[in-house]
């Protein structure tokens, strides 16, 4: 007889049934490890599936009650712990039940199911939980960025393009730009969640089952928002994982960019900010070093995320039905990217409020290398009614003069501007000392940018309220998502209670 004694049951891969020899232990171990993070999700599915089978009278009430009692007994000792010790990966529930209840009862749990929907449900449940956690961490950083922005609306500093001084801005304005990107990261996470949180349960391996399964009931008990309406699509199209990976990769991209900005501001040459020692390492030979290790980890993690995204795309290009095991390599890549993103979002959330800002140094540098040149040209347009391009060219010559003659921007005179104008067009221009001084002042430069979204303190204050309102709404959205899942979990337990008491 090929059937194992029920108390020694070790899975459906029995030697002498379809296969003639045991599986290589290393291969079995790899499969076991792949399922470990989703054991709690398989347990949820086991319970919901048995409730549905019992309610639909596809298994006898007494059998359903016996199975549900055993699954609750399992929970008393820890779902992940017992299932891991039991073995069987995604089939650990079945393995546990057959060993305790025998084949006639425990063997009924897999009716209408397959590895396909078991793994797909597990993957989607785990992804939605990780996405919720990612949303929380994104919003944590949004909150930190906005708090520090509010404290630095008057912290004038150079803005950069091509790694050169471009125009004066403020630290607060830049941090609000970070908050803008984080808002979009949150939106992407919500959109990914909406596609991930759809139920493949009951789709089996591609065509579902000839048993009249109630897929909507299982979906409801598992907290999914809807049922995937095509059973083939539910199992063999895995591109929703790409949504999650692209979302987390974009988060890593932003973190890496901001880490590079902070690293530049921290350099001895810039000296705009100081980083607390708890975020730094040092050298084993160069005793003066304070190395911003935390920032370097953030930059490096972006490469890991992008590599994981390429892995996922490579896995996905296989023909439909070509494989069902390759997607596990997407899961490995996604898990690593999510773990790093959660860690680095929290690091950055702690780092930003701890930065020591050197406002005097930033203010000095904002006007030291002609970042305010745009407003000198603007003043010439206003006072002389000349075309913008003419004023632009005159100021270009003025800037060249200042570097050639070692004249600092704040020491430029109206006479030097007249000289530049004569060189450019053979005619002089007029500008008063007062107007020139105002145009050369980086603080006045920022103050004048009162347009919507500009860096002036008054405009940033208005927009800051918008950002905070948006953040509050997004935090409420997370609460509603979690509340819905909690209600579904309660419904599942109530359904079990009703069956056990019937």
């Amino acid at each position: 007889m090929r059937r194992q004694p029920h108390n020694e049951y070790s899975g459906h891969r029995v030697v002498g049934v379809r296969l003639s020899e045991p599986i290589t232990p290393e291969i079995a171990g790899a499969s076991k490890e792949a399922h470990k993070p989703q054991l709690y999700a398989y347990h949820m599915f086991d319970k919901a599936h048995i409730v549905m089978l019992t309610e639909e009278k596809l298994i006898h009430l007494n059998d359903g009650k016996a199975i549900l009692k055993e699954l609750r007994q399992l929970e008393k000792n820890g779902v992940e712990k017992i299932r891991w010790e039991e073995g069987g990966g995604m089939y650990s529930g079945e393995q546990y039940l057959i060993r305790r209840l025998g084949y006639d009862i425990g063997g009924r749990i897999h009716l209408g199911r397959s590895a396909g929907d078991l793994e797909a449900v597990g993957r989607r449940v785990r992804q939605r939980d990780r996405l919720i956690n990612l949303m929380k961490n994104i919003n944590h950083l949004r909150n930190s960025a906005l708090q520090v922005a509010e404290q630095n609306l008057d912290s004038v500093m150079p803005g950069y393009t091509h790694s050169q001084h471009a125009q004066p801005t403020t630290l607060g304005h830049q941090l609000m730009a970070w908050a803008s990107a984080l808002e979009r990261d949150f939106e992407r996470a919500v959109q990914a969640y909406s596609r991930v949180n759809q139920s493949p349960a009951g789709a089996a391996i591609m065509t579902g089952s000839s048993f009249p399964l109630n897929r909507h009931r299982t979906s409801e008990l598992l907290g999914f928002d809807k049922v995937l309406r095509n059973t083939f699509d539910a199992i063999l199209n895995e591109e929703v994982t790409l949504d999650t990976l692209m979302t987390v990769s974009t988060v890593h991209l932003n973190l890496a960019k901001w880490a590079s900005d902070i690293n530049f501001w921290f350099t001895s040459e810039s000296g705009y900010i100081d980083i607390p020692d708890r975020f730094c390492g040092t050298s084993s030979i160069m005793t003066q070093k304070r190395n911003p290790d935390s920032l370097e980890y953030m930059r490096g993690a972006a490469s890991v995320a992008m590599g994981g995204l390429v892995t996922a795309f490579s896995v996905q290009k296989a023909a439909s039905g070509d494989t069902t095991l390759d997607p596990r390599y997407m899961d490995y890549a996604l898990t690593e990217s999510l773990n790093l993103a959660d860690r680095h979002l929290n690091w950055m959330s702690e780092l930003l409020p701890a930065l020591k800002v050197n406002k005097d140094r930033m203010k000095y540098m904002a006007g030291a290398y002609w970042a305010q040149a745009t407003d000198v040209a603007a003043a010439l347009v206003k006072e002389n009614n000349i075309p913008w391009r003419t004023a632009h060219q005159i100021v270009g010559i003025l800037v060249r003069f200042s570097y050639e003659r070692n004249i600092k921007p704040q020491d430029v005179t109206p006479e030097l501007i007249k000289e530049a104008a004569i060189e450019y067009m053979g005619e002089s221009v007029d500008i008063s000392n007062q107007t020139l001084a105002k145009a050369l002042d980086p603080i006045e430069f920022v103050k004048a940018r009162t347009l919507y979204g500009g860096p002036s303190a008054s405009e940033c204050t208005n927009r800051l309220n918008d950002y905070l309102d948006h953040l509050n709404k997004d935090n409420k959205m997370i609460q509603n998502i979690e509340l819905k899942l909690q209600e579904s979990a309660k419904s599942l337990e109530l359904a079990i209670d009703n069956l056990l008491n019937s």
Side-chain angles (χ1 to χ4, degrees):
M1 184 172 69
R2 298 296 184 184
R3 189 169 74 170
Q4 305 162 320
H6 73 86
N7 56 354
E8 297 176 9
Y9 180 72
S10 59
H12 61 272
R13 191 196 184 283
V14 178
V15 175
V17 177
R18 175 59 184 89
L19 304 172
S20 59
E21 60 180 353
I23 191 169
T24 300
E26 289 81 3
I27 297 175
S31 178
K32 184 179 179 182
E33 284 290 340
H35 292 293
K36 188 174 184 179
Q38 296 172 185
L39 290 176
Y40 78 99
Y42 298 141
H43 187 74
M44 288 172 58
F45 189 14
D46 283 351
K47 292 197 296 183
H49 186 63
I50 287 297
V51 168
M52 180 274 294
L53 291 179
T54 308
E55 290 177 345
E56 299 296 320
K57 297 181 173 53
L58 294 173
I59 63 173
H60 194 278
L61 174 62
N62 289 338
D63 292 340
K65 291 169 69 172
I67 290 172
L68 291 170
K69 284 179 182 178
E70 279 296 337
L71 291 177
R72 281 197 166 169
Q73 183 62 38
L74 183 158
E75 290 171 353
K76 293 179 180 179
N77 298 310
V79 170
E80 284 90 348
K81 176 179 180 294
I82 297 302
R83 283 178 172 259
W84 178 253
E85 293 172 353
E86 200 72 23
M90 74 179 93
Y91 306 110
S92 54
E94 181 181 39
Q95 196 152 302
Y96 175 90
L97 292 167
I98 289 176
R99 286 177 178 176
R100 282 152 185 81
L101 299 175
Y103 289 101
D104 286 348
I105 298 176
R108 298 184 186 278
I109 189 172
H110 206 56
L111 180 72
R113 284 202 311 191
S114 166
D117 56 347
L118 252 173
E119 191 159 15
V121 166
R123 180 175 289 124
R124 285 174 181 264
V125 167
R126 184 161 179 265
Q127 274 192 46
R128 78 181 181 194
D129 291 346
R130 295 302 304 266
L131 280 166
I132 292 171
N133 198 53
L134 181 67
M135 290 181 223
K136 290 180 178 179
N137 288 328
I138 288 171
N139 284 0
H140 186 201
L141 180 53
R142 285 168 69 182
N143 185 61
S144 292
L146 291 173
Q147 285 183 357
V148 179
E150 187 174 19
Q151 298 162 8
N152 288 278
L153 298 182
D154 62 346
S155 299
V156 176
M157 67 183 297
Y160 292 83
T161 62
H162 301 277
S163 299
Q164 303 291 314
H165 285 221
Q167 292 182 326
T169 183
T170 67
L171 178 59
H173 192 236
Q174 291 199 60
L175 291 175
M176 288 168 71
W178 295 11
S180 295
L182 287 165
E183 278 188 7
R184 293 188 292 273
D185 286 336
F186 182 87
E187 289 171 3
R188 278 184 280 267
V190 170
Q191 290 165 1
Y193 181 90
S194 70
R195 286 186 282 274
V196 166
N197 199 38
Q198 299 181 28
S199 177
I205 195 57
M206 68 173 66
T207 62
S209 172
S210 60
F211 294 99
L213 307 179
N214 187 340
R215 295 186 63 211
H216 289 83
R217 177 59 169 158
T218 310
S219 173
E220 174 188 87
L221 293 171
L222 290 171
F224 287 110
D225 293 328
K226 63 166 74 171
V227 178
L228 288 162
R229 62 179 178 265
N230 181 286
T231 56
F232 192 104
D233 173 63
I235 304 305
L236 296 174
N237 288 335
E238 292 279 355
E239 85 288 344
V240 290
T241 300
L242 295 178
D243 283 343
T244 307
L245 257 170
M246 284 188 280
T247 297
V248 73
S249 294
T250 306
V251 170
H252 277 293
L253 179 85
N254 285 328
L255 284 170
K257 180 165 59 177
W258 302 332
S260 294
D261 287 344
I262 296 173
N263 188 63
F264 173 72
W265 300 339
F266 180 54
T267 60
S268 301
E269 289 75 15
S270 296
Y272 300 157
I273 54 100
D274 191 29
I275 296 175
D277 286 350
R278 64 182 178 275
F279 296 99
C280 299
T282 188
S283 169
S284 64
I285 185 173
M286 298 170 286
T287 55
Q288 81 281 8
K289 295 295 292 297
R290 293 173 65 230
N291 302 324
D293 290 357
S294 55
L295 302 176
E296 293 168 14
Y297 278 119
M298 293 181 203
R299 298 206 309 267
S303 301
V304 174
M306 286 184 276
L309 191 56
V310 172
T311 297
F313 270 103
S314 298
V315 168
Q316 283 293 312
K317 67 179 174 49
S320 298
D322 179 33
T323 178
T324 56
L325 295 181
D326 283 4
R328 292 180 189 171
Y329 291 93
M330 284 195 310
D331 297 339
Y332 301 147
L334 179 58
T335 296
E336 186 170 19
S337 292
L338 283 165
N339 288 344
L340 290 172
D342 289 338
R343 184 179 79 174
H344 295 163
L345 284 164
N346 284 314
W347 283 4
M348 186 67 86
S349 296
E350 183 184 348
L351 172 62
L352 285 183
L355 296 177
K356 297 178 182 178
V357 180
N358 189 339
K359 294 188 178 185
D360 291 338
R361 171 66 175 172
M362 292 195 304
K363 176 185 171 184
Y364 169 76
M365 292 298 287
Y369 294 96
W370 282 105
Q372 69 276 57
T374 305
D375 273 14
V376 177
L380 292 179
V381 170
K382 294 172 184 175
E383 294 222 342
N384 296 272
N385 194 28
I386 58 178
W388 168 258
R389 186 55 61 208
T390 299
H392 172 272
Q393 298 296 84
I394 292 171
V395 174
I397 294 172
L398 172 67
V399 172
R400 177 168 56 82
F401 282 172
S402 76
Y403 281 113
E404 290 173 348
R405 302 175 191 182
N406 198 27
I407 300 172
K408 295 178 180 179
Q410 61 266 32
D411 296 330
V412 165
T413 62
E415 287 69 30
L416 192 61
I417 294 179
K418 291 178 182 180
E419 182 183 344
I422 291 171
E423 176 166 325
Y424 178 66
M425 62 183 183
E427 299 178 23
S428 182
V429 292
D430 293 320
I431 187 169
S432 67
N433 282 310
Q434 183 180 4
T435 300
L436 178 59
K438 185 176 181 180
L440 289 169
D441 187 342
I443 294 178
E444 292 295 330
F445 185 104
V446 171
K447 193 181 295 183
R449 265 62 183 181
T450 58
L451 76 167
Y452 183 86
S456 71
S458 59
E459 174 56 20
C460 280
T461 299
N462 292 333
R463 300 287 71 77
L464 188 64
N465 292 328
D466 294 342
Y467 283 109
L468 290 171
D469 287 344
H470 201 160
L471 176 57
N472 289 334
K473 290 176 183 176
D474 288 346
N475 282 330
K476 184 66 175 176
M477 185 184 301
I478 295 174
Q479 292 173 9
N480 290 337
I481 287 172
E482 291 190 309
L483 182 61
K484 181 180 182 299
L485 292 178
Q486 290 166 10
E487 291 300 322
S488 296
K490 289 178 183 177
S491 295
L492 175 56
E493 297 308 318
L494 180 60
I496 293 172
D497 289 340
N498 290 338
L499 288 173
L500 292 178
N501 294 327
S502 61

